[in-house]
Amino acid sequence: MKEAITLGVVCLARTTFDYAAAKELWDGIRSDLEAIENVRIVAPHALVFEVDEAKAAASQLARAQVDGLVIISGTFHLGHLALELVKTVHAPVLLWGLPELPYNGGKIRLNSVCGVNLNASNLFKSGVQNYHVTIGEHIDMNWVDAIRVLKVLSRSHIGILGYRAHGFFNLSVADLALYRQTGILIDHYELSEVWNFPASDEAVQARTTQLRSIFDVSGITAEQLHKVAMLAVKLQGFLDKYALDALAIRCWPEFAAEYGISPCAAMSLLQSEHRILACEGDVEGGLSMLMHRAVGAETPFLFDFSQVDFEKDFALFWHCGVAPCNLWDGRCVRSLDTYFAGGKGVTADFVLKEGELSVLRLDSSEGKYRVFLQRARAIPMEKELKGTYLKAKFDVPVKQVLDKVIGKGVAHHASVVYGNYIEPFRIAAKIAGWEVIE
């Protein structure tokens, strides 16, 4: 399900143009907007002609604390109007121009695009340069989804369990830099808080039965299976108690050494139920997964660039055994294994399904944020490895992708989802002032 947002929408006009036609168009647009999934519309019903009307509309939208501001040039209009709206409504701006109507007696009827040009020039020269522009009969849904991305970052509750993994300095976050960019404050919890979290026998037994129904568990002991089931119950309860939207977990080395198993298999199970869990204490990886989910992408997961083959032009997206179990290819044996952490696992082992892929990494360096974006396709492969993995072919040569990652120092985890989810993140990055790496 896409992130819920509130949009403020105003349609501007001038009486020297065909404002009656603009009003008809505005009525239809408003009806269309109100049908968009998980979008609440706040808008004056009337066209806005004069400065005092723009001020009144701005006050209405500001009180509603809208997440995005849509300024429609119904016709050409006064330059004051958009400036008054932006002065009061502090939200990302979409400037929307309408296609010109058939001429009427040799007179241009809307001159809407010129209105967009006027607004853009006024905003740009006043220092507001992160606006987005669309020309057409329908709102730019990529911009709408970009607003969802920024909204999910601004309101999410993020936790880190333990710390980042040992030596993974590149996964560290500067808390106040992250707060400045997104509004997020990270809450820290000790590993023992999950290990000691209560888990009823009934809940553990239900999870045990579920795990047996999903995985071949012949490669692990009954005790290990019990620990996986119990950890799934504990993590679920912990996430619910603290209302966490995402949790980054220091999954090694303490988990296997002190709890008795690694958390991979339990994380695979919970992620298939739409929980956002990031391994190795990767907060920004968890945020990348949340951003994917905000636009309606299902079951995001983190991967490593574990192998590249320049001759055959593919990459292996692998991780030790934590990918969501619902993304299994349906052909190989989906199993639990103990190869990891000196035989203390437990990890999920399977090949992921084929399909179109979108890759995203929200990443920081020197206090500045950037987003890494790529499109790829998962292609068939045999189960040859432990862990969870897929073979991916990018839209561009894999060497070109790797050179970007290495050359820009992007962290070694990225979120991947099935489907085409790229453009909203380009727009969100422009609004937020982040570099785009692709």
Side-chain angles (χ1 to χ4, degrees), residues 5 24 30 51 92 117 127 166 218 237 245 288 312 339 372 401:
I5 57 172
E24 288 184 18
R30 184 187 177 98
V51 172
N117 192 168
H166 186 60
S218 61
D245 296 292
S288 303
K312 297 181 180 178
Y339 83 98
F372 170 71
V401 176

PDB file of all heavy atoms in Angstrom, residues 5 24 30 51 92 117 127 166 218 237 245 288 312 339 372 401:
ATOM      1  N   ILE A   5      -0.769  10.580   1.867  1.00  0.00           N
ATOM      2  CA  ILE A   5      -0.315  11.973   1.861  1.00  0.00           C
ATOM      3  C   ILE A   5      -1.504  12.903   1.704  1.00  0.00           C
ATOM      4  O   ILE A   5      -2.595  12.493   1.308  1.00  0.00           O
ATOM      5  CB  ILE A   5       0.702  12.245   0.735  1.00  0.00           C
ATOM      6  CG1 ILE A   5       0.116  11.886  -0.641  1.00  0.00           C
ATOM      7  CG2 ILE A   5       2.014  11.515   0.980  1.00  0.00           C
ATOM      8  CD1 ILE A   5       0.981  12.308  -1.816  1.00  0.00           C
ATOM      9  N   GLU A  24     -14.483  24.465 -15.659  1.00  0.00           N
ATOM     10  CA  GLU A  24     -14.951  23.118 -16.005  1.00  0.00           C
ATOM     11  C   GLU A  24     -13.806  22.107 -15.918  1.00  0.00           C
ATOM     12  O   GLU A  24     -13.963  20.996 -15.403  1.00  0.00           O
ATOM     13  CB  GLU A  24     -15.549  23.115 -17.415  1.00  0.00           C
ATOM     14  CG  GLU A  24     -16.889  23.815 -17.534  1.00  0.00           C
ATOM     15  CD  GLU A  24     -17.464  23.689 -18.942  1.00  0.00           C
ATOM     16  OE1 GLU A  24     -16.999  22.798 -19.689  1.00  0.00           O
ATOM     17  OE2 GLU A  24     -18.366  24.476 -19.293  1.00  0.00           O
ATOM     18  N   ARG A  30     -10.322  18.011 -10.113  1.00  0.00           N
ATOM     19  CA  ARG A  30     -10.518  17.777  -8.679  1.00  0.00           C
ATOM     20  C   ARG A  30     -11.126  16.397  -8.434  1.00  0.00           C
ATOM     21  O   ARG A  30     -10.708  15.672  -7.522  1.00  0.00           O
ATOM     22  CB  ARG A  30     -11.421  18.869  -8.102  1.00  0.00           C
ATOM     23  CG  ARG A  30     -11.613  18.784  -6.593  1.00  0.00           C
ATOM     24  CD  ARG A  30     -12.657  19.791  -6.119  1.00  0.00           C
ATOM     25  NE  ARG A  30     -12.874  19.626  -4.694  1.00  0.00           N
ATOM     26  CZ  ARG A  30     -12.307  20.372  -3.758  1.00  0.00           C
ATOM     27  NH1 ARG A  30     -11.484  21.343  -4.091  1.00  0.00           N
ATOM     28  NH2 ARG A  30     -12.565  20.145  -2.483  1.00  0.00           N
ATOM     29  N   VAL A  51      -5.167  38.492  -5.361  1.00  0.00           N
ATOM     30  CA  VAL A  51      -4.169  38.266  -4.317  1.00  0.00           C
ATOM     31  C   VAL A  51      -4.819  37.884  -2.998  1.00  0.00           C
ATOM     32  O   VAL A  51      -4.346  36.965  -2.304  1.00  0.00           O
ATOM     33  CB  VAL A  51      -3.279  39.519  -4.145  1.00  0.00           C
ATOM     34  CG1 VAL A  51      -2.368  39.368  -2.936  1.00  0.00           C
ATOM     35  CG2 VAL A  51      -2.459  39.772  -5.401  1.00  0.00           C
ATOM     36  N   PRO A  92       6.767  21.000  -0.934  1.00  0.00           N
ATOM     37  CA  PRO A  92       7.238  20.894  -2.318  1.00  0.00           C
ATOM     38  C   PRO A  92       6.146  21.301  -3.307  1.00  0.00           C
ATOM     39  O   PRO A  92       4.965  21.043  -3.090  1.00  0.00           O
ATOM     40  CB  PRO A  92       7.589  19.409  -2.453  1.00  0.00           C
ATOM     41  CG  PRO A  92       7.858  18.948  -1.056  1.00  0.00           C
ATOM     42  CD  PRO A  92       6.937  19.725  -0.190  1.00  0.00           C
ATOM     43  N   ASN A 117       5.298  29.141 -17.002  1.00  0.00           N
ATOM     44  CA  ASN A 117       6.588  29.799 -17.246  1.00  0.00           C
ATOM     45  C   ASN A 117       6.772  30.984 -16.293  1.00  0.00           C
ATOM     46  O   ASN A 117       7.849  31.169 -15.701  1.00  0.00           O
ATOM     47  CB  ASN A 117       6.636  30.243 -18.702  1.00  0.00           C
ATOM     48  CG  ASN A 117       8.019  30.682 -19.162  1.00  0.00           C
ATOM     49  OD1 ASN A 117       8.252  30.861 -20.353  1.00  0.00           O
ATOM     50  ND2 ASN A 117       8.962  30.877 -18.264  1.00  0.00           N
ATOM     51  N   GLY A 127      14.762  32.097  -5.430  1.00  0.00           N
ATOM     52  CA  GLY A 127      15.539  31.102  -4.689  1.00  0.00           C
ATOM     53  C   GLY A 127      14.834  29.791  -4.464  1.00  0.00           C
ATOM     54  O   GLY A 127      15.412  28.870  -3.877  1.00  0.00           O
ATOM     55  N   HIS A 166      30.555  -5.110  12.684  1.00  0.00           N
ATOM     56  CA  HIS A 166      31.952  -4.853  13.002  1.00  0.00           C
ATOM     57  C   HIS A 166      32.747  -4.478  11.748  1.00  0.00           C
ATOM     58  O   HIS A 166      32.798  -5.240  10.782  1.00  0.00           O
ATOM     59  CB  HIS A 166      32.552  -6.114  13.643  1.00  0.00           C
ATOM     60  CG  HIS A 166      33.955  -5.929  14.140  1.00  0.00           C
ATOM     61  ND1 HIS A 166      34.291  -5.007  15.101  1.00  0.00           N
ATOM     62  CD2 HIS A 166      35.124  -6.558  13.801  1.00  0.00           C
ATOM     63  CE1 HIS A 166      35.580  -5.081  15.345  1.00  0.00           C
ATOM     64  NE2 HIS A 166      36.113  -5.998  14.565  1.00  0.00           N
ATOM     65  N   SER A 218      15.285 -29.853   7.155  1.00  0.00           N
ATOM     66  CA  SER A 218      16.034 -31.065   7.491  1.00  0.00           C
ATOM     67  C   SER A 218      17.508 -30.788   7.762  1.00  0.00           C
ATOM     68  O   SER A 218      18.196 -31.612   8.370  1.00  0.00           O
ATOM     69  CB  SER A 218      15.914 -32.093   6.357  1.00  0.00           C
ATOM     70  OG  SER A 218      16.449 -31.571   5.150  1.00  0.00           O
ATOM     71  N   GLY A 237       7.091  -8.841  18.295  1.00  0.00           N
ATOM     72  CA  GLY A 237       6.608  -8.162  19.482  1.00  0.00           C
ATOM     73  C   GLY A 237       7.366  -6.879  19.765  1.00  0.00           C
ATOM     74  O   GLY A 237       6.781  -5.862  20.170  1.00  0.00           O
ATOM     75  N   ASP A 245       8.890   1.549  12.340  1.00  0.00           N
ATOM     76  CA  ASP A 245       8.653   1.357  10.910  1.00  0.00           C
ATOM     77  C   ASP A 245       9.789   0.586  10.256  1.00  0.00           C
ATOM     78  O   ASP A 245       9.588  -0.073   9.236  1.00  0.00           O
ATOM     79  CB  ASP A 245       8.500   2.713  10.227  1.00  0.00           C
ATOM     80  CG  ASP A 245       7.288   3.467  10.734  1.00  0.00           C
ATOM     81  OD1 ASP A 245       6.168   3.012  10.466  1.00  0.00           O
ATOM     82  OD2 ASP A 245       7.464   4.492  11.412  1.00  0.00           O
ATOM     83  N   SER A 288      16.178   3.101   2.705  1.00  0.00           N
ATOM     84  CA  SER A 288      15.993   2.831   1.277  1.00  0.00           C
ATOM     85  C   SER A 288      14.820   1.878   1.067  1.00  0.00           C
ATOM     86  O   SER A 288      14.009   2.058   0.143  1.00  0.00           O
ATOM     87  CB  SER A 288      17.271   2.234   0.687  1.00  0.00           C
ATOM     88  OG  SER A 288      18.382   3.078   0.897  1.00  0.00           O
ATOM     89  N   LYS A 312      29.904 -12.066 -19.501  1.00  0.00           N
ATOM     90  CA  LYS A 312      28.498 -12.438 -19.658  1.00  0.00           C
ATOM     91  C   LYS A 312      27.553 -11.312 -19.244  1.00  0.00           C
ATOM     92  O   LYS A 312      26.340 -11.437 -19.385  1.00  0.00           O
ATOM     93  CB  LYS A 312      28.207 -13.707 -18.856  1.00  0.00           C
ATOM     94  CG  LYS A 312      28.988 -14.922 -19.352  1.00  0.00           C
ATOM     95  CD  LYS A 312      28.652 -16.161 -18.544  1.00  0.00           C
ATOM     96  CE  LYS A 312      29.436 -17.367 -19.049  1.00  0.00           C
ATOM     97  NZ  LYS A 312      29.163 -18.582 -18.230  1.00  0.00           N
ATOM     98  N   TYR A 339      25.262 -22.983   7.463  1.00  0.00           N
ATOM     99  CA  TYR A 339      26.626 -22.781   6.961  1.00  0.00           C
ATOM    100  C   TYR A 339      27.280 -21.551   7.561  1.00  0.00           C
ATOM    101  O   TYR A 339      28.503 -21.456   7.655  1.00  0.00           O
ATOM    102  CB  TYR A 339      26.609 -22.650   5.433  1.00  0.00           C
ATOM    103  CG  TYR A 339      26.278 -21.250   4.933  1.00  0.00           C
ATOM    104  CD1 TYR A 339      27.282 -20.363   4.559  1.00  0.00           C
ATOM    105  CD2 TYR A 339      24.954 -20.810   4.863  1.00  0.00           C
ATOM    106  CE1 TYR A 339      26.982 -19.086   4.134  1.00  0.00           C
ATOM    107  CE2 TYR A 339      24.656 -19.541   4.431  1.00  0.00           C
ATOM    108  CZ  TYR A 339      25.666 -18.672   4.064  1.00  0.00           C
ATOM    109  OH  TYR A 339      25.367 -17.406   3.649  1.00  0.00           O
ATOM    110  N   PHE A 372      21.375   6.352  -5.184  1.00  0.00           N
ATOM    111  CA  PHE A 372      21.863   5.510  -6.263  1.00  0.00           C
ATOM    112  C   PHE A 372      20.668   4.773  -6.844  1.00  0.00           C
ATOM    113  O   PHE A 372      19.891   4.153  -6.103  1.00  0.00           O
ATOM    114  CB  PHE A 372      22.897   4.529  -5.729  1.00  0.00           C
ATOM    115  CG  PHE A 372      23.292   3.457  -6.712  1.00  0.00           C
ATOM    116  CD1 PHE A 372      24.064   3.758  -7.819  1.00  0.00           C
ATOM    117  CD2 PHE A 372      22.884   2.140  -6.522  1.00  0.00           C
ATOM    118  CE1 PHE A 372      24.417   2.779  -8.732  1.00  0.00           C
ATOM    119  CE2 PHE A 372      23.240   1.146  -7.424  1.00  0.00           C
ATOM    120  CZ  PHE A 372      24.011   1.471  -8.531  1.00  0.00           C
ATOM    121  N   VAL A 401      27.875   0.060 -14.203  1.00  0.00           N
ATOM    122  CA  VAL A 401      27.203   0.176 -12.912  1.00  0.00           C
ATOM    123  C   VAL A 401      28.216   0.064 -11.779  1.00  0.00           C
ATOM    124  O   VAL A 401      28.232   0.878 -10.837  1.00  0.00           O
ATOM    125  CB  VAL A 401      26.117  -0.905 -12.760  1.00  0.00           C
ATOM    126  CG1 VAL A 401      25.479  -0.840 -11.370  1.00  0.00           C
ATOM    127  CG2 VAL A 401      25.053  -0.749 -13.835  1.00  0.00           C
TER     128      VAL A 401
END
